[in-house]
mmCIF file of all heavy atoms in Angstrom:
data_model
loop_
_atom_site.group_PDB
_atom_site.id
_atom_site.type_symbol
_atom_site.label_atom_id
_atom_site.label_comp_id
_atom_site.label_asym_id
_atom_site.label_seq_id
_atom_site.Cartn_x
_atom_site.Cartn_y
_atom_site.Cartn_z
ATOM 1 N N VAL A 258 -140.777 -45.321 -56.881
ATOM 2 C CA VAL A 258 -141.894 -46.227 -56.432
ATOM 3 C C VAL A 258 -141.220 -46.808 -55.090
ATOM 4 O O VAL A 258 -140.019 -47.378 -55.044
ATOM 5 C CB VAL A 258 -142.078 -47.439 -57.268
ATOM 6 C CG1 VAL A 258 -142.993 -48.521 -56.753
ATOM 7 C CG2 VAL A 258 -142.511 -46.875 -58.668
ATOM 8 N N HIS A 260 -141.961 -49.584 -52.441
ATOM 9 C CA HIS A 260 -142.836 -50.834 -52.356
ATOM 10 C C HIS A 260 -142.512 -51.497 -51.147
ATOM 11 O O HIS A 260 -141.379 -51.901 -50.752
ATOM 12 C CB HIS A 260 -142.468 -51.763 -53.585
ATOM 13 C CG HIS A 260 -143.530 -52.808 -53.793
ATOM 14 N ND1 HIS A 260 -144.593 -52.662 -54.607
ATOM 15 C CD2 HIS A 260 -143.600 -53.948 -53.164
ATOM 16 C CE1 HIS A 260 -145.267 -53.737 -54.532
ATOM 17 N NE2 HIS A 260 -144.739 -54.533 -53.683
ATOM 18 N N ASP A 271 -143.655 -64.998 -54.988
ATOM 19 C CA ASP A 271 -144.092 -65.041 -56.428
ATOM 20 C C ASP A 271 -144.853 -63.829 -56.644
ATOM 21 O O ASP A 271 -144.726 -63.194 -57.828
ATOM 22 C CB ASP A 271 -145.061 -66.318 -56.628
ATOM 23 C CG ASP A 271 -144.281 -67.521 -56.402
ATOM 24 O OD1 ASP A 271 -143.019 -67.515 -56.602
ATOM 25 O OD2 ASP A 271 -144.891 -68.562 -56.085
ATOM 26 N N ALA A 272 -145.777 -63.413 -55.810
ATOM 27 C CA ALA A 272 -146.556 -62.181 -55.993
ATOM 28 C C ALA A 272 -145.716 -60.919 -56.183
ATOM 29 O O ALA A 272 -145.909 -60.166 -57.085
ATOM 30 C CB ALA A 272 -147.582 -62.051 -54.820
ATOM 31 N N LEU A 273 -144.795 -60.872 -55.241
ATOM 32 C CA LEU A 273 -143.870 -59.603 -55.322
ATOM 33 C C LEU A 273 -143.071 -59.605 -56.639
ATOM 34 O O LEU A 273 -143.070 -58.583 -57.252
ATOM 35 C CB LEU A 273 -142.812 -59.777 -54.132
ATOM 36 C CG LEU A 273 -141.756 -58.648 -54.155
ATOM 37 C CD1 LEU A 273 -142.277 -57.272 -53.984
ATOM 38 C CD2 LEU A 273 -140.587 -58.982 -53.225
ATOM 39 N N LEU A 274 -142.640 -60.774 -56.991
ATOM 40 C CA LEU A 274 -141.808 -60.790 -58.340
ATOM 41 C C LEU A 274 -142.682 -60.374 -59.597
ATOM 42 O O LEU A 274 -142.396 -59.676 -60.412
ATOM 43 C CB LEU A 274 -141.228 -62.179 -58.390
ATOM 44 C CG LEU A 274 -140.090 -62.499 -57.406
ATOM 45 C CD1 LEU A 274 -139.570 -63.937 -57.606
ATOM 46 C CD2 LEU A 274 -138.932 -61.575 -57.576
ATOM 47 N N ALA A 275 -143.889 -60.958 -59.328
ATOM 48 C CA ALA A 275 -144.887 -60.680 -60.534
ATOM 49 C C ALA A 275 -145.269 -59.225 -60.544
ATOM 50 O O ALA A 275 -145.259 -58.651 -61.728
ATOM 51 C CB ALA A 275 -146.196 -61.450 -60.359
ATOM 52 N N GLU A 276 -145.402 -58.664 -59.436
ATOM 53 C CA GLU A 276 -145.689 -57.246 -59.346
ATOM 54 C C GLU A 276 -144.608 -56.377 -59.942
ATOM 55 O O GLU A 276 -144.862 -55.417 -60.751
ATOM 56 C CB GLU A 276 -145.946 -56.786 -57.934
ATOM 57 C CG GLU A 276 -146.784 -55.580 -57.895
ATOM 58 C CD GLU A 276 -147.310 -55.318 -56.431
ATOM 59 O OE1 GLU A 276 -147.340 -56.371 -55.685
ATOM 60 O OE2 GLU A 276 -147.619 -54.229 -56.006
ATOM 61 N N LEU A 277 -143.307 -56.705 -59.560
ATOM 62 C CA LEU A 277 -142.166 -55.890 -60.014
ATOM 63 C C LEU A 277 -142.028 -56.137 -61.545
ATOM 64 O O LEU A 277 -141.765 -55.235 -62.329
ATOM 65 C CB LEU A 277 -140.913 -56.364 -59.338
ATOM 66 C CG LEU A 277 -140.781 -56.023 -57.915
ATOM 67 C CD1 LEU A 277 -139.613 -56.649 -57.232
ATOM 68 C CD2 LEU A 277 -140.793 -54.426 -57.800
ATOM 69 N N THR A 278 -142.241 -57.355 -61.991
ATOM 70 C CA THR A 278 -142.096 -57.752 -63.369
ATOM 71 C C THR A 278 -143.165 -56.859 -64.303
ATOM 72 O O THR A 278 -142.793 -56.453 -65.361
ATOM 73 C CB THR A 278 -142.178 -59.201 -63.695
ATOM 74 O OG1 THR A 278 -141.441 -59.948 -62.809
ATOM 75 C CG2 THR A 278 -141.897 -59.582 -65.085
ATOM 76 N N GLY A 279 -144.354 -56.655 -63.541
ATOM 77 C CA GLY A 279 -145.332 -55.836 -64.242
ATOM 78 C C GLY A 279 -145.105 -54.478 -64.376
ATOM 79 O O GLY A 279 -145.956 -53.773 -65.174
ATOM 80 N N LEU A 280 -144.242 -53.903 -63.725
ATOM 81 C CA LEU A 280 -144.136 -52.408 -63.722
ATOM 82 C C LEU A 280 -143.632 -51.947 -65.124
ATOM 83 O O LEU A 280 -142.778 -52.549 -65.729
ATOM 84 C CB LEU A 280 -143.134 -51.964 -62.618
ATOM 85 C CG LEU A 280 -143.533 -51.974 -61.219
ATOM 86 C CD1 LEU A 280 -142.336 -51.561 -60.364
ATOM 87 C CD2 LEU A 280 -144.631 -50.971 -60.986
ATOM 88 N N PRO A 281 -144.306 -50.888 -65.607
ATOM 89 C CA PRO A 281 -143.947 -50.352 -66.957
ATOM 90 C C PRO A 281 -142.674 -49.543 -66.796
ATOM 91 O O PRO A 281 -142.316 -48.962 -65.771
ATOM 92 C CB PRO A 281 -145.168 -49.626 -67.397
ATOM 93 C CG PRO A 281 -145.690 -49.018 -66.191
ATOM 94 C CD PRO A 281 -145.417 -50.093 -65.034
ATOM 95 N N LYS A 283 -139.496 -49.593 -66.928
ATOM 96 C CA LYS A 283 -138.573 -49.915 -65.794
ATOM 97 C C LYS A 283 -137.274 -49.133 -65.976
ATOM 98 O O LYS A 283 -136.634 -48.808 -64.863
ATOM 99 C CB LYS A 283 -138.202 -51.477 -65.910
ATOM 100 C CG LYS A 283 -139.344 -52.322 -65.515
ATOM 101 C CD LYS A 283 -138.859 -53.852 -65.402
ATOM 102 C CE LYS A 283 -139.971 -54.738 -65.235
ATOM 103 N NZ LYS A 283 -140.848 -54.752 -66.543
ATOM 104 N N VAL A 288 -137.128 -48.049 -57.982
ATOM 105 C CA VAL A 288 -137.874 -48.804 -56.925
ATOM 106 C C VAL A 288 -137.167 -49.062 -55.577
ATOM 107 O O VAL A 288 -135.896 -49.344 -55.587
ATOM 108 C CB VAL A 288 -138.268 -50.157 -57.486
ATOM 109 C CG1 VAL A 288 -139.202 -50.899 -56.379
ATOM 110 C CG2 VAL A 288 -138.945 -50.094 -58.804
ATOM 111 N N ARG A 289 -137.783 -48.823 -54.424
ATOM 112 C CA ARG A 289 -137.139 -49.020 -53.202
ATOM 113 C C ARG A 289 -137.990 -50.013 -52.452
ATOM 114 O O ARG A 289 -139.259 -49.804 -52.194
ATOM 115 C CB ARG A 289 -137.105 -47.722 -52.390
ATOM 116 C CG ARG A 289 -136.409 -47.709 -51.138
ATOM 117 C CD ARG A 289 -135.989 -46.407 -50.526
ATOM 118 N NE ARG A 289 -137.321 -45.543 -50.379
ATOM 119 C CZ ARG A 289 -137.310 -44.361 -49.758
ATOM 120 N NH1 ARG A 289 -136.112 -43.715 -49.573
ATOM 121 N NH2 ARG A 289 -138.484 -43.776 -49.471
ATOM 122 N N LEU A 290 -137.486 -51.159 -52.099
ATOM 123 C CA LEU A 290 -138.157 -52.303 -51.483
ATOM 124 C C LEU A 290 -138.061 -52.311 -50.060
ATOM 125 O O LEU A 290 -136.833 -52.161 -49.602
ATOM 126 C CB LEU A 290 -137.781 -53.578 -52.131
ATOM 127 C CG LEU A 290 -138.141 -53.893 -53.462
ATOM 128 C CD1 LEU A 290 -137.450 -55.235 -53.909
ATOM 129 C CD2 LEU A 290 -139.648 -54.008 -53.720
ATOM 130 N N LEU A 292 -138.977 -55.021 -47.357
ATOM 131 C CA LEU A 292 -139.570 -56.356 -47.225
ATOM 132 C C LEU A 292 -139.498 -56.763 -45.743
ATOM 133 O O LEU A 292 -138.375 -56.704 -45.173
ATOM 134 C CB LEU A 292 -138.795 -57.303 -48.111
ATOM 135 C CG LEU A 292 -138.721 -56.847 -49.627
ATOM 136 C CD1 LEU A 292 -137.927 -57.955 -50.447
ATOM 137 C CD2 LEU A 292 -140.189 -56.751 -50.197
ATOM 138 N N LEU A 304 -135.496 -65.691 -53.826
ATOM 139 C CA LEU A 304 -135.813 -64.209 -53.865
ATOM 140 C C LEU A 304 -134.538 -63.340 -54.247
ATOM 141 O O LEU A 304 -134.657 -62.482 -55.011
ATOM 142 C CB LEU A 304 -136.412 -63.736 -52.504
ATOM 143 C CG LEU A 304 -136.750 -62.167 -52.334
ATOM 144 C CD1 LEU A 304 -137.866 -61.832 -53.430
ATOM 145 C CD2 LEU A 304 -137.060 -61.939 -50.996
ATOM 146 N N GLU A 307 -133.723 -63.828 -57.917
ATOM 147 C CA GLU A 307 -134.644 -63.233 -58.885
ATOM 148 C C GLU A 307 -134.570 -61.668 -58.817
ATOM 149 O O GLU A 307 -134.558 -60.932 -59.788
ATOM 150 C CB GLU A 307 -136.009 -63.647 -58.470
ATOM 151 C CG GLU A 307 -136.361 -65.099 -58.823
ATOM 152 C CD GLU A 307 -136.134 -65.298 -60.331
ATOM 153 O OE1 GLU A 307 -136.806 -64.546 -61.202
ATOM 154 O OE2 GLU A 307 -135.379 -66.300 -60.760
ATOM 155 N N LEU A 308 -134.397 -61.091 -57.541
ATOM 156 C CA LEU A 308 -134.212 -59.659 -57.457
ATOM 157 C C LEU A 308 -132.881 -59.228 -58.134
ATOM 158 O O LEU A 308 -132.941 -58.169 -58.841
ATOM 159 C CB LEU A 308 -134.179 -59.209 -55.898
ATOM 160 C CG LEU A 308 -135.542 -59.252 -55.279
ATOM 161 C CD1 LEU A 308 -135.423 -58.798 -53.761
ATOM 162 C CD2 LEU A 308 -136.598 -58.524 -55.951
ATOM 163 N N LEU A 311 -133.771 -59.185 -61.830
ATOM 164 C CA LEU A 311 -134.665 -58.023 -62.218
ATOM 165 C C LEU A 311 -133.971 -56.631 -62.120
ATOM 166 O O LEU A 311 -134.298 -55.813 -62.859
ATOM 167 C CB LEU A 311 -135.915 -58.049 -61.254
ATOM 168 C CG LEU A 311 -137.173 -58.896 -61.634
ATOM 169 C CD1 LEU A 311 -138.193 -58.708 -60.503
ATOM 170 C CD2 LEU A 311 -137.685 -58.218 -62.905
ATOM 171 N N PHE A 315 -134.433 -52.266 -64.071
ATOM 172 C CA PHE A 315 -134.824 -50.992 -63.511
ATOM 173 C C PHE A 315 -133.669 -50.042 -63.522
ATOM 174 O O PHE A 315 -132.474 -50.331 -63.614
ATOM 175 C CB PHE A 315 -135.342 -51.206 -62.163
ATOM 176 C CG PHE A 315 -136.653 -51.864 -62.058
ATOM 177 C CD1 PHE A 315 -136.715 -53.362 -61.931
ATOM 178 C CD2 PHE A 315 -137.766 -51.081 -62.101
ATOM 179 C CE1 PHE A 315 -138.114 -53.862 -61.919
ATOM 180 C CE2 PHE A 315 -138.990 -51.736 -61.842
ATOM 181 C CZ PHE A 315 -139.146 -53.053 -61.863
ATOM 182 N N LEU A 318 -133.195 -50.681 -58.449
ATOM 183 C CA LEU A 318 -134.047 -51.546 -57.669
ATOM 184 C C LEU A 318 -133.292 -51.929 -56.463
ATOM 185 O O LEU A 318 -132.249 -52.707 -56.598
ATOM 186 C CB LEU A 318 -134.502 -52.844 -58.527
ATOM 187 C CG LEU A 318 -135.181 -53.917 -57.700
ATOM 188 C CD1 LEU A 318 -136.550 -53.410 -57.144
ATOM 189 C CD2 LEU A 318 -135.334 -55.128 -58.533
#
Side-chain angles (χ1 to χ4, degrees):
Chain A
V258 178
H260 193 95
D271 295 338
L273 171 68
L274 294 173
E276 203 168 337
L277 290 173
T278 309
L280 282 174
K283 292 190 189 61
V288 182
R289 186 165 65 178
L290 290 174
L292 305 179
L304 177 66
E307 288 301 308
L308 287 181
L311 266 175
F315 283 91
L318 172 64

